[in-house]
Amino acid sequence: MEDPGEHLLAIVLDTNLTSVVSSGGDAGAVLDSILAFCNAHLMSSTANLLCLTVAHGRENRVLFPPELDDGQSAQAHYELFSQSSSGIVRQLKAMMEAAPPDPQTSAPMAAGLAMSLCFISRVSRERPPHARLQKRVLIVSGQGTVSAQYMDLMNVFFTAQKLEIQVDACVLGAESGVLQQGADITGGVCVRVPQPRGLLQYLLWAFLPFGEQRQKLALPEPPVVDYRAACFCHRQLVSVGFVCSVCLSIFCKFAPICSTCHTVFKVKGMSLPKPSKRKRPKQGL
Amino acid sequence: MTTTEDILLQVNNVRHKKSDGTLFLMSERIGWLMGSKDTFSVSYKYADIKMQKISPDGKAKIQLQVVLHDGGASTFHFNSPDGEPAQRADRDKVKELLQTLLPKFKRKVNKELEEKERLLRENPSLLQLYQDLVITRIATADEFWAQHASEFLNKTNVKQDVGVSGAFLADIKPQTDGCNGLKYNLNVDTINSIYKTYPAVRRKFFEYVPGRMSESEFWTRFFQSHYFHRDRINLSSKDLFTDCARQDEKVIQQELQEELDDPMLDLRRMTDSTVGDGYGSDSSAVGVGQTNTATVSMIRRFNQHSINVLKASLTPEGAAAAAATPAKPQQNGQSNGEASSAAPPAERDPAAKRARLEERTCYEDLEAAPPSAGQPLSLTKVERYLSGPTPDLAQLGSEPPSASAARRLRENVLHWRPFTNKVLDPQTAVSVLGDLSPGGALMKTSHKDRNASADLPDHVKTELAAIYRSAGELLRHFWACFPVSTPALEEKVAKMEDTLHKFHQLKIQNFEDTVCRQAGLGPEVTAHLNQMLSAAYAKYESWRSLRRSLQR
């Protein structure tokens, strides 16, 4: 199928692959798969663009397209491939050497995602107005997300929704609720990979096609996206709770005075619980 | 007559109510004694007498009437046998004595009381209220006037000056007095109106009267003068009103020059045409410059007269600032320059101007309603909004990565050489494919919602479609029978129920048994059909039970 438009794929990679390693996998193989996937994307069409952002430790760095031209290109290699392979590999190694990933802290995924969105906007602005640029973001993460980045991630997801950029997620470890929500918000696909060895296959199958082709394919969908809110007192997810009508803060137990806005709620006789609506799964936003 | 009063005057032959008697005037009262009696039949205290009246000179009877404060009156007829002059003399004596005596005893008329009485007389409802409340001692009189009748009392407080009638000069109708003479009746009111309208005349009056000529002569000259005529063409120099005329000329010139101080008033916009702007004849400016001087001067005089009349009826406040107010009623004539200048500064006051402008331009009900002030929201612990949920630890599944894992990762990456090994081996690829294809491990949940019709073989599909068609038709007839109102419908319902059952038995069971088993499909293919049929059965049952309970 002729698709004259350009395709821009932005990959945000979390280098904290400790979950893979601790379960006996090989981080190198994972990185191999990702590299191969990048090359596959670049090979599909000369008009394809790639942006690889790596979230490592406390920084995000754009590894591809490289800022500086190395000048090293192996012979008999497609220039882009050699650039990508050598450049990315070298920088990854340098980063890993300089600052090993701390298992306690999580990489700034939200920031990395925001950076890739900026890259996408820049590229789309540089294009003439009539050019069709299809853009996508793929998040590859080994650990889902940490609650500290929840709000930032949600903000970025909504931004992507406004920009009409689909955010896909490929999760190597445990299922991640946030990434599922993000994929659902932006219209992307979230896949949890049970076997890291077959990662490349997953990537090629689910995340290579673009735009209209995706609608014609049967891609995996998460069963129920967990949109439950967290109560303000314990930060636990609640499905049935109490919402203050003044400040909209959510509580899991009834309290006659809202602790945020100090509104007094009149109670008729016994404290009648006013349960909030259970959030429907996959509800439109 | 056992009184200790001094008799000041005694008049015999005074008739009262057709009987003869004697009229006595004592120090404190007036009394009339009938001829044959000892005591006074009629006696009035001087304090009670409001006034006395005497009959006019031309009448046959010489009478004196005493009017009391409460409205009563009694008449005394002086019938002295000595003849009319004596009677008149008697009456005059009585009259003069009374005139001297009455003021002494004149009760301080409580004006307010009179007012109240008048009000009570005029408003029967108020009178009724008064009677109910005060006379029955529910409220005292003071309370009554303060509370219930307060609005009545206030109305009369503001006294308005009677304005000058515009046609007062025309109302002085001359009466022909025999041959070739005219008689003009001048009231004090008329004179005041003339003064108000033509202040120059007033000045002249003071100049000439009573020094040079008498009042009546002044007025005669006034009416004779051409000043008063319609056309002031010939002004004789002897006429004392010529400078009035000249003054008037000056005045009107000044008026013309003085700008109209009301910017809101635009006389040119007032036209007589009722047709809107732009329709019909154009309402261009009226032609200026009429050549007929007589008409011009007459029009000018009319205008001046109107101006004077208007000015005369301005409120006396404007003239209060005038100097030397004589005992005569206030005049707002133009002679008082201050009067005319007192009014414009009030207009030019910017606040007043703004108020007037606003009144003209703003419509209150067209303005937006003022926004209602909302309740201020004070929030504490705002950070609770900003942080996300803490994930359940049980959900994590695996343990948090340890430091050794981090080290291993680092070594892995450092020793990594890209593409040394096969990135993907075929078996893994195939198993992944299995997972990702419909029905696979990852795709299971998404497949549930999908329509299973894609999996049905064609012949099953066509047969199912046929069954659906007929079932739908039967069900439509069935449901159309409700609500059951006529016996015909009852029969139809029963029949439909029967038919549905039969259909169920034959067709659907047949379909399920044979075709589905052949194709290996589960009962979910006909699940929807069965659901519809069972709903119909349930409805029928409930209707039957209802009918039975009603019939019993």
Side-chain angles (χ1 to χ4, degrees), chain B residues 103-133:
Chain B
K104 288 187 208 165
F105 293 91
K106 204 172 173 76
R107 189 162 64 176
K108 298 265 175 356
V109 177
N110 197 352
K111 237 185 157 182
E112 287 175 26
L113 211 62
E114 265 194 15
E115 199 57 41
K116 288 176 188 172
E117 280 168 13
R118 191 182 58 83
L119 278 173
L120 282 179
R121 260 200 304 277
E122 282 171 4
N123 300 309
S125 56
L126 191 65
L127 181 65
Q128 187 65 36
L129 200 62
Y130 185 81
Q131 280 172 351
D132 288 337
L133 292 177

PDB file of all heavy atoms in Angstrom, chain B residues 103-133:
ATOM      1  N   PRO B 103     -62.476  89.668  68.051  1.00  0.00           N
ATOM      2  CA  PRO B 103     -61.054  89.332  68.005  1.00  0.00           C
ATOM      3  C   PRO B 103     -60.492  88.966  69.361  1.00  0.00           C
ATOM      4  O   PRO B 103     -59.534  88.211  69.454  1.00  0.00           O
ATOM      5  CB  PRO B 103     -60.407  90.605  67.463  1.00  0.00           C
ATOM      6  CG  PRO B 103     -61.483  91.276  66.709  1.00  0.00           C
ATOM      7  CD  PRO B 103     -62.753  90.946  67.406  1.00  0.00           C
ATOM      8  N   LYS B 104     -61.114  89.572  70.407  1.00  0.00           N
ATOM      9  CA  LYS B 104     -60.564  89.255  71.717  1.00  0.00           C
ATOM     10  C   LYS B 104     -60.756  87.787  72.047  1.00  0.00           C
ATOM     11  O   LYS B 104     -59.917  87.152  72.666  1.00  0.00           O
ATOM     12  CB  LYS B 104     -61.272  90.091  72.785  1.00  0.00           C
ATOM     13  CG  LYS B 104     -60.926  91.533  72.772  1.00  0.00           C
ATOM     14  CD  LYS B 104     -61.554  92.220  73.967  1.00  0.00           C
ATOM     15  CE  LYS B 104     -61.821  93.695  73.610  1.00  0.00           C
ATOM     16  NZ  LYS B 104     -62.735  94.323  74.560  1.00  0.00           N
ATOM     17  N   PHE B 105     -61.889  87.318  71.662  1.00  0.00           N
ATOM     18  CA  PHE B 105     -62.217  85.957  72.073  1.00  0.00           C
ATOM     19  C   PHE B 105     -61.945  84.928  70.977  1.00  0.00           C
ATOM     20  O   PHE B 105     -62.237  83.749  71.149  1.00  0.00           O
ATOM     21  CB  PHE B 105     -63.697  85.853  72.444  1.00  0.00           C
ATOM     22  CG  PHE B 105     -64.000  86.637  73.664  1.00  0.00           C
ATOM     23  CD1 PHE B 105     -64.406  87.961  73.580  1.00  0.00           C
ATOM     24  CD2 PHE B 105     -63.893  86.042  74.916  1.00  0.00           C
ATOM     25  CE1 PHE B 105     -64.691  88.682  74.714  1.00  0.00           C
ATOM     26  CE2 PHE B 105     -64.179  86.759  76.037  1.00  0.00           C
ATOM     27  CZ  PHE B 105     -64.583  88.081  75.958  1.00  0.00           C
ATOM     28  N   LYS B 106     -61.392  85.431  69.954  1.00  0.00           N
ATOM     29  CA  LYS B 106     -61.219  84.536  68.825  1.00  0.00           C
ATOM     30  C   LYS B 106     -60.364  83.344  69.249  1.00  0.00           C
ATOM     31  O   LYS B 106     -59.230  83.461  69.657  1.00  0.00           O
ATOM     32  CB  LYS B 106     -60.538  85.284  67.689  1.00  0.00           C
ATOM     33  CG  LYS B 106     -60.813  84.681  66.344  1.00  0.00           C
ATOM     34  CD  LYS B 106     -60.285  85.569  65.243  1.00  0.00           C
ATOM     35  CE  LYS B 106     -60.391  84.905  63.898  1.00  0.00           C
ATOM     36  NZ  LYS B 106     -61.715  84.891  63.360  1.00  0.00           N
ATOM     37  N   ARG B 107     -60.937  82.245  69.148  1.00  0.00           N
ATOM     38  CA  ARG B 107     -60.207  81.054  69.570  1.00  0.00           C
ATOM     39  C   ARG B 107     -59.072  80.795  68.608  1.00  0.00           C
ATOM     40  O   ARG B 107     -59.245  80.920  67.400  1.00  0.00           O
ATOM     41  CB  ARG B 107     -61.171  79.872  69.591  1.00  0.00           C
ATOM     42  CG  ARG B 107     -60.583  78.630  70.227  1.00  0.00           C
ATOM     43  CD  ARG B 107     -61.609  77.649  70.633  1.00  0.00           C
ATOM     44  NE  ARG B 107     -62.312  77.138  69.471  1.00  0.00           N
ATOM     45  CZ  ARG B 107     -63.218  76.195  69.551  1.00  0.00           C
ATOM     46  NH1 ARG B 107     -63.546  75.700  70.723  1.00  0.00           N
ATOM     47  NH2 ARG B 107     -63.832  75.777  68.493  1.00  0.00           N
ATOM     48  N   LYS B 108     -57.976  80.483  69.231  1.00  0.00           N
ATOM     49  CA  LYS B 108     -56.842  80.176  68.358  1.00  0.00           C
ATOM     50  C   LYS B 108     -57.223  78.961  67.527  1.00  0.00           C
ATOM     51  O   LYS B 108     -57.239  77.845  68.001  1.00  0.00           O
ATOM     52  CB  LYS B 108     -55.592  79.846  69.196  1.00  0.00           C
ATOM     53  CG  LYS B 108     -55.144  80.988  70.047  1.00  0.00           C
ATOM     54  CD  LYS B 108     -54.067  81.755  69.320  1.00  0.00           C
ATOM     55  CE  LYS B 108     -53.604  83.024  70.016  1.00  0.00           C
ATOM     56  NZ  LYS B 108     -54.237  83.430  71.207  1.00  0.00           N
ATOM     57  N   VAL B 109     -57.592  79.294  66.365  1.00  0.00           N
ATOM     58  CA  VAL B 109     -58.058  78.191  65.541  1.00  0.00           C
ATOM     59  C   VAL B 109     -56.909  77.241  65.282  1.00  0.00           C
ATOM     60  O   VAL B 109     -55.863  77.625  64.790  1.00  0.00           O
ATOM     61  CB  VAL B 109     -58.607  78.716  64.201  1.00  0.00           C
ATOM     62  CG1 VAL B 109     -59.014  77.572  63.323  1.00  0.00           C
ATOM     63  CG2 VAL B 109     -59.780  79.623  64.474  1.00  0.00           C
ATOM     64  N   ASN B 110     -57.179  76.125  65.676  1.00  0.00           N
ATOM     65  CA  ASN B 110     -56.153  75.133  65.409  1.00  0.00           C
ATOM     66  C   ASN B 110     -56.273  74.728  63.944  1.00  0.00           C
ATOM     67  O   ASN B 110     -57.180  74.025  63.533  1.00  0.00           O
ATOM     68  CB  ASN B 110     -56.388  73.919  66.311  1.00  0.00           C
ATOM     69  CG  ASN B 110     -55.156  73.072  66.360  1.00  0.00           C
ATOM     70  OD1 ASN B 110     -54.211  73.308  65.633  1.00  0.00           O
ATOM     71  ND2 ASN B 110     -55.183  72.087  67.240  1.00  0.00           N
ATOM     72  N   LYS B 111     -55.353  75.263  63.227  1.00  0.00           N
ATOM     73  CA  LYS B 111     -55.436  75.022  61.795  1.00  0.00           C
ATOM     74  C   LYS B 111     -55.394  73.536  61.476  1.00  0.00           C
ATOM     75  O   LYS B 111     -56.060  73.039  60.584  1.00  0.00           O
ATOM     76  CB  LYS B 111     -54.284  75.738  61.100  1.00  0.00           C
ATOM     77  CG  LYS B 111     -54.744  76.693  60.049  1.00  0.00           C
ATOM     78  CD  LYS B 111     -53.591  77.286  59.308  1.00  0.00           C
ATOM     79  CE  LYS B 111     -54.090  77.757  57.963  1.00  0.00           C
ATOM     80  NZ  LYS B 111     -53.056  78.302  57.145  1.00  0.00           N
ATOM     81  N   GLU B 112     -54.574  72.921  62.255  1.00  0.00           N
ATOM     82  CA  GLU B 112     -54.463  71.488  62.000  1.00  0.00           C
ATOM     83  C   GLU B 112     -55.784  70.793  62.253  1.00  0.00           C
ATOM     84  O   GLU B 112     -56.179  69.888  61.508  1.00  0.00           O
ATOM     85  CB  GLU B 112     -53.396  70.882  62.918  1.00  0.00           C
ATOM     86  CG  GLU B 112     -52.004  71.248  62.496  1.00  0.00           C
ATOM     87  CD  GLU B 112     -50.996  70.736  63.502  1.00  0.00           C
ATOM     88  OE1 GLU B 112     -51.326  69.739  64.175  1.00  0.00           O
ATOM     89  OE2 GLU B 112     -49.939  71.347  63.608  1.00  0.00           O
ATOM     90  N   LEU B 113     -56.421  71.232  63.301  1.00  0.00           N
ATOM     91  CA  LEU B 113     -57.690  70.610  63.623  1.00  0.00           C
ATOM     92  C   LEU B 113     -58.682  70.799  62.499  1.00  0.00           C
ATOM     93  O   LEU B 113     -59.422  69.890  62.122  1.00  0.00           O
ATOM     94  CB  LEU B 113     -58.229  71.221  64.911  1.00  0.00           C
ATOM     95  CG  LEU B 113     -59.056  70.270  65.761  1.00  0.00           C
ATOM     96  CD1 LEU B 113     -58.188  69.105  66.202  1.00  0.00           C
ATOM     97  CD2 LEU B 113     -59.606  71.003  66.956  1.00  0.00           C
ATOM     98  N   GLU B 114     -58.657  72.033  61.969  1.00  0.00           N
ATOM     99  CA  GLU B 114     -59.544  72.287  60.842  1.00  0.00           C
ATOM    100  C   GLU B 114     -59.235  71.367  59.696  1.00  0.00           C
ATOM    101  O   GLU B 114     -60.122  70.816  59.033  1.00  0.00           O
ATOM    102  CB  GLU B 114     -59.371  73.733  60.378  1.00  0.00           C
ATOM    103  CG  GLU B 114     -60.370  74.657  60.990  1.00  0.00           C
ATOM    104  CD  GLU B 114     -60.385  75.984  60.252  1.00  0.00           C
ATOM    105  OE1 GLU B 114     -59.845  76.060  59.126  1.00  0.00           O
ATOM    106  OE2 GLU B 114     -60.923  76.927  60.818  1.00  0.00           O
ATOM    107  N   GLU B 115     -57.949  71.217  59.485  1.00  0.00           N
ATOM    108  CA  GLU B 115     -57.485  70.363  58.404  1.00  0.00           C
ATOM    109  C   GLU B 115     -57.988  68.943  58.598  1.00  0.00           C
ATOM    110  O   GLU B 115     -58.489  68.297  57.678  1.00  0.00           O
ATOM    111  CB  GLU B 115     -55.956  70.407  58.408  1.00  0.00           C
ATOM    112  CG  GLU B 115     -55.294  69.983  57.159  1.00  0.00           C
ATOM    113  CD  GLU B 115     -55.720  70.774  55.971  1.00  0.00           C
ATOM    114  OE1 GLU B 115     -55.878  72.003  56.078  1.00  0.00           O
ATOM    115  OE2 GLU B 115     -55.952  70.149  54.929  1.00  0.00           O
ATOM    116  N   LYS B 116     -57.812  68.503  59.825  1.00  0.00           N
ATOM    117  CA  LYS B 116     -58.221  67.127  60.106  1.00  0.00           C
ATOM    118  C   LYS B 116     -59.715  66.947  59.910  1.00  0.00           C
ATOM    119  O   LYS B 116     -60.177  65.954  59.363  1.00  0.00           O
ATOM    120  CB  LYS B 116     -57.843  66.758  61.538  1.00  0.00           C
ATOM    121  CG  LYS B 116     -56.366  66.583  61.737  1.00  0.00           C
ATOM    122  CD  LYS B 116     -56.034  66.312  63.189  1.00  0.00           C
ATOM    123  CE  LYS B 116     -54.543  66.335  63.375  1.00  0.00           C
ATOM    124  NZ  LYS B 116     -54.183  66.270  64.805  1.00  0.00           N
ATOM    125  N   GLU B 117     -60.414  67.970  60.364  1.00  0.00           N
ATOM    126  CA  GLU B 117     -61.869  67.860  60.225  1.00  0.00           C
ATOM    127  C   GLU B 117     -62.259  67.832  58.770  1.00  0.00           C
ATOM    128  O   GLU B 117     -63.165  67.096  58.350  1.00  0.00           O
ATOM    129  CB  GLU B 117     -62.540  69.025  60.935  1.00  0.00           C
ATOM    130  CG  GLU B 117     -62.637  68.810  62.418  1.00  0.00           C
ATOM    131  CD  GLU B 117     -63.039  70.059  63.158  1.00  0.00           C
ATOM    132  OE1 GLU B 117     -63.485  71.032  62.491  1.00  0.00           O
ATOM    133  OE2 GLU B 117     -62.908  70.067  64.369  1.00  0.00           O
ATOM    134  N   ARG B 118     -61.529  68.630  58.013  1.00  0.00           N
ATOM    135  CA  ARG B 118     -61.828  68.655  56.582  1.00  0.00           C
ATOM    136  C   ARG B 118     -61.565  67.295  55.954  1.00  0.00           C
ATOM    137  O   ARG B 118     -62.335  66.798  55.137  1.00  0.00           O
ATOM    138  CB  ARG B 118     -61.008  69.744  55.920  1.00  0.00           C
ATOM    139  CG  ARG B 118     -61.416  70.051  54.501  1.00  0.00           C
ATOM    140  CD  ARG B 118     -60.513  71.108  53.900  1.00  0.00           C
ATOM    141  NE  ARG B 118     -59.124  70.713  53.918  1.00  0.00           N
ATOM    142  CZ  ARG B 118     -58.560  69.938  53.004  1.00  0.00           C
ATOM    143  NH1 ARG B 118     -59.261  69.494  51.994  1.00  0.00           N
ATOM    144  NH2 ARG B 118     -57.294  69.608  53.105  1.00  0.00           N
ATOM    145  N   LEU B 119     -60.435  66.728  56.387  1.00  0.00           N
ATOM    146  CA  LEU B 119     -60.101  65.418  55.838  1.00  0.00           C
ATOM    147  C   LEU B 119     -61.174  64.392  56.176  1.00  0.00           C
ATOM    148  O   LEU B 119     -61.559  63.572  55.344  1.00  0.00           O
ATOM    149  CB  LEU B 119     -58.753  64.952  56.402  1.00  0.00           C
ATOM    150  CG  LEU B 119     -57.520  65.513  55.726  1.00  0.00           C
ATOM    151  CD1 LEU B 119     -56.290  65.110  56.504  1.00  0.00           C
ATOM    152  CD2 LEU B 119     -57.409  65.012  54.314  1.00  0.00           C
ATOM    153  N   LEU B 120     -61.587  64.474  57.400  1.00  0.00           N
ATOM    154  CA  LEU B 120     -62.582  63.500  57.829  1.00  0.00           C
ATOM    155  C   LEU B 120     -63.868  63.674  57.047  1.00  0.00           C
ATOM    156  O   LEU B 120     -64.547  62.714  56.690  1.00  0.00           O
ATOM    157  CB  LEU B 120     -62.856  63.650  59.320  1.00  0.00           C
ATOM    158  CG  LEU B 120     -61.812  63.059  60.246  1.00  0.00           C
ATOM    159  CD1 LEU B 120     -62.185  63.295  61.684  1.00  0.00           C
ATOM    160  CD2 LEU B 120     -61.676  61.570  59.995  1.00  0.00           C
ATOM    161  N   ARG B 121     -64.157  64.925  56.750  1.00  0.00           N
ATOM    162  CA  ARG B 121     -65.388  65.175  56.016  1.00  0.00           C
ATOM    163  C   ARG B 121     -65.274  64.631  54.594  1.00  0.00           C
ATOM    164  O   ARG B 121     -66.218  64.112  54.039  1.00  0.00           O
ATOM    165  CB  ARG B 121     -65.664  66.680  55.969  1.00  0.00           C
ATOM    166  CG  ARG B 121     -66.675  67.147  56.962  1.00  0.00           C
ATOM    167  CD  ARG B 121     -67.218  68.481  56.520  1.00  0.00           C
ATOM    168  NE  ARG B 121     -66.151  69.460  56.329  1.00  0.00           N
ATOM    169  CZ  ARG B 121     -65.624  70.179  57.333  1.00  0.00           C
ATOM    170  NH1 ARG B 121     -66.090  70.059  58.544  1.00  0.00           N
ATOM    171  NH2 ARG B 121     -64.655  71.031  57.096  1.00  0.00           N
ATOM    172  N   GLU B 122     -64.096  64.830  54.054  1.00  0.00           N
ATOM    173  CA  GLU B 122     -63.962  64.496  52.644  1.00  0.00           C
ATOM    174  C   GLU B 122     -63.791  63.005  52.403  1.00  0.00           C
ATOM    175  O   GLU B 122     -64.175  62.497  51.358  1.00  0.00           O
ATOM    176  CB  GLU B 122     -62.758  65.234  52.051  1.00  0.00           C
ATOM    177  CG  GLU B 122     -63.067  66.671  51.762  1.00  0.00           C
ATOM    178  CD  GLU B 122     -61.802  67.417  51.376  1.00  0.00           C
ATOM    179  OE1 GLU B 122     -60.751  66.763  51.282  1.00  0.00           O
ATOM    180  OE2 GLU B 122     -61.879  68.625  51.180  1.00  0.00           O
ATOM    181  N   ASN B 123     -63.149  62.309  53.325  1.00  0.00           N
ATOM    182  CA  ASN B 123     -62.916  60.888  53.104  1.00  0.00           C
ATOM    183  C   ASN B 123     -63.780  60.075  54.045  1.00  0.00           C
ATOM    184  O   ASN B 123     -63.458  59.934  55.218  1.00  0.00           O
ATOM    185  CB  ASN B 123     -61.449  60.535  53.373  1.00  0.00           C
ATOM    186  CG  ASN B 123     -60.524  61.314  52.472  1.00  0.00           C
ATOM    187  OD1 ASN B 123     -60.721  61.330  51.280  1.00  0.00           O
ATOM    188  ND2 ASN B 123     -59.543  61.952  53.068  1.00  0.00           N
ATOM    189  N   PRO B 124     -64.853  59.576  53.544  1.00  0.00           N
ATOM    190  CA  PRO B 124     -65.744  58.810  54.419  1.00  0.00           C
ATOM    191  C   PRO B 124     -65.071  57.567  54.975  1.00  0.00           C
ATOM    192  O   PRO B 124     -65.360  57.143  56.089  1.00  0.00           O
ATOM    193  CB  PRO B 124     -66.931  58.464  53.518  1.00  0.00           C
ATOM    194  CG  PRO B 124     -66.449  58.639  52.132  1.00  0.00           C
ATOM    195  CD  PRO B 124     -65.372  59.649  52.178  1.00  0.00           C
ATOM    196  N   SER B 125     -64.150  56.999  54.198  1.00  0.00           N
ATOM    197  CA  SER B 125     -63.489  55.802  54.713  1.00  0.00           C
ATOM    198  C   SER B 125     -62.625  56.164  55.902  1.00  0.00           C
ATOM    199  O   SER B 125     -62.574  55.449  56.912  1.00  0.00           O
ATOM    200  CB  SER B 125     -62.651  55.168  53.613  1.00  0.00           C
ATOM    201  OG  SER B 125     -61.738  56.107  53.103  1.00  0.00           O
ATOM    202  N   LEU B 126     -61.964  57.312  55.773  1.00  0.00           N
ATOM    203  CA  LEU B 126     -61.136  57.761  56.893  1.00  0.00           C
ATOM    204  C   LEU B 126     -62.001  58.062  58.099  1.00  0.00           C
ATOM    205  O   LEU B 126     -61.655  57.761  59.239  1.00  0.00           O
ATOM    206  CB  LEU B 126     -60.347  58.998  56.463  1.00  0.00           C
ATOM    207  CG  LEU B 126     -59.244  59.425  57.417  1.00  0.00           C
ATOM    208  CD1 LEU B 126     -58.178  58.359  57.456  1.00  0.00           C
ATOM    209  CD2 LEU B 126     -58.641  60.735  56.981  1.00  0.00           C
ATOM    210  N   LEU B 127     -63.144  58.643  57.818  1.00  0.00           N
ATOM    211  CA  LEU B 127     -64.067  58.966  58.900  1.00  0.00           C
ATOM    212  C   LEU B 127     -64.491  57.687  59.611  1.00  0.00           C
ATOM    213  O   LEU B 127     -64.545  57.617  60.845  1.00  0.00           O
ATOM    214  CB  LEU B 127     -65.281  59.696  58.310  1.00  0.00           C
ATOM    215  CG  LEU B 127     -66.339  60.130  59.323  1.00  0.00           C
ATOM    216  CD1 LEU B 127     -65.755  61.162  60.244  1.00  0.00           C
ATOM    217  CD2 LEU B 127     -67.551  60.703  58.600  1.00  0.00           C
ATOM    218  N   GLN B 128     -64.786  56.690  58.810  1.00  0.00           N
ATOM    219  CA  GLN B 128     -65.207  55.415  59.393  1.00  0.00           C
ATOM    220  C   GLN B 128     -64.112  54.846  60.275  1.00  0.00           C
ATOM    221  O   GLN B 128     -64.356  54.373  61.388  1.00  0.00           O
ATOM    222  CB  GLN B 128     -65.531  54.440  58.247  1.00  0.00           C
ATOM    223  CG  GLN B 128     -66.132  53.133  58.693  1.00  0.00           C
ATOM    224  CD  GLN B 128     -67.482  53.322  59.313  1.00  0.00           C
ATOM    225  OE1 GLN B 128     -68.252  54.179  58.889  1.00  0.00           O
ATOM    226  NE2 GLN B 128     -67.770  52.566  60.332  1.00  0.00           N
ATOM    227  N   LEU B 129     -62.889  54.916  59.736  1.00  0.00           N
ATOM    228  CA  LEU B 129     -61.750  54.407  60.487  1.00  0.00           C
ATOM    229  C   LEU B 129     -61.586  55.156  61.789  1.00  0.00           C
ATOM    230  O   LEU B 129     -61.352  54.577  62.850  1.00  0.00           O
ATOM    231  CB  LEU B 129     -60.502  54.558  59.607  1.00  0.00           C
ATOM    232  CG  LEU B 129     -59.300  53.698  59.944  1.00  0.00           C
ATOM    233  CD1 LEU B 129     -59.647  52.240  59.795  1.00  0.00           C
ATOM    234  CD2 LEU B 129     -58.148  54.061  59.049  1.00  0.00           C
ATOM    235  N   TYR B 130     -61.748  56.461  61.670  1.00  0.00           N
ATOM    236  CA  TYR B 130     -61.616  57.296  62.863  1.00  0.00           C
ATOM    237  C   TYR B 130     -62.647  56.901  63.902  1.00  0.00           C
ATOM    238  O   TYR B 130     -62.351  56.742  65.080  1.00  0.00           O
ATOM    239  CB  TYR B 130     -61.796  58.755  62.439  1.00  0.00           C
ATOM    240  CG  TYR B 130     -61.561  59.736  63.547  1.00  0.00           C
ATOM    241  CD1 TYR B 130     -60.262  60.118  63.889  1.00  0.00           C
ATOM    242  CD2 TYR B 130     -62.621  60.286  64.242  1.00  0.00           C
ATOM    243  CE1 TYR B 130     -60.045  61.022  64.895  1.00  0.00           C
ATOM    244  CE2 TYR B 130     -62.404  61.194  65.254  1.00  0.00           C
ATOM    245  CZ  TYR B 130     -61.122  61.559  65.584  1.00  0.00           C
ATOM    246  OH  TYR B 130     -60.907  62.442  66.593  1.00  0.00           O
ATOM    247  N   GLN B 131     -63.859  56.735  63.402  1.00  0.00           N
ATOM    248  CA  GLN B 131     -64.910  56.391  64.346  1.00  0.00           C
ATOM    249  C   GLN B 131     -64.642  55.048  65.004  1.00  0.00           C
ATOM    250  O   GLN B 131     -64.815  54.870  66.202  1.00  0.00           O
ATOM    251  CB  GLN B 131     -66.259  56.343  63.620  1.00  0.00           C
ATOM    252  CG  GLN B 131     -66.840  57.716  63.421  1.00  0.00           C
ATOM    253  CD  GLN B 131     -68.059  57.679  62.541  1.00  0.00           C
ATOM    254  OE1 GLN B 131     -68.368  56.645  61.956  1.00  0.00           O
ATOM    255  NE2 GLN B 131     -68.753  58.798  62.448  1.00  0.00           N
ATOM    256  N   ASP B 132     -64.150  54.100  64.178  1.00  0.00           N
ATOM    257  CA  ASP B 132     -63.919  52.782  64.749  1.00  0.00           C
ATOM    258  C   ASP B 132     -62.832  52.817  65.794  1.00  0.00           C
ATOM    259  O   ASP B 132     -62.944  52.203  66.849  1.00  0.00           O
ATOM    260  CB  ASP B 132     -63.523  51.802  63.636  1.00  0.00           C
ATOM    261  CG  ASP B 132     -64.713  51.476  62.760  1.00  0.00           C
ATOM    262  OD1 ASP B 132     -65.839  51.637  63.251  1.00  0.00           O
ATOM    263  OD2 ASP B 132     -64.495  51.067  61.606  1.00  0.00           O
ATOM    264  N   LEU B 133     -61.759  53.539  65.457  1.00  0.00           N
ATOM    265  CA  LEU B 133     -60.595  53.419  66.318  1.00  0.00           C
ATOM    266  C   LEU B 133     -60.626  54.384  67.493  1.00  0.00           C
ATOM    267  O   LEU B 133     -60.341  54.015  68.620  1.00  0.00           O
ATOM    268  CB  LEU B 133     -59.328  53.661  65.493  1.00  0.00           C
ATOM    269  CG  LEU B 133     -59.016  52.581  64.454  1.00  0.00           C
ATOM    270  CD1 LEU B 133     -57.788  52.971  63.671  1.00  0.00           C
ATOM    271  CD2 LEU B 133     -58.769  51.261  65.145  1.00  0.00           C
TER     272      LEU B 133
END
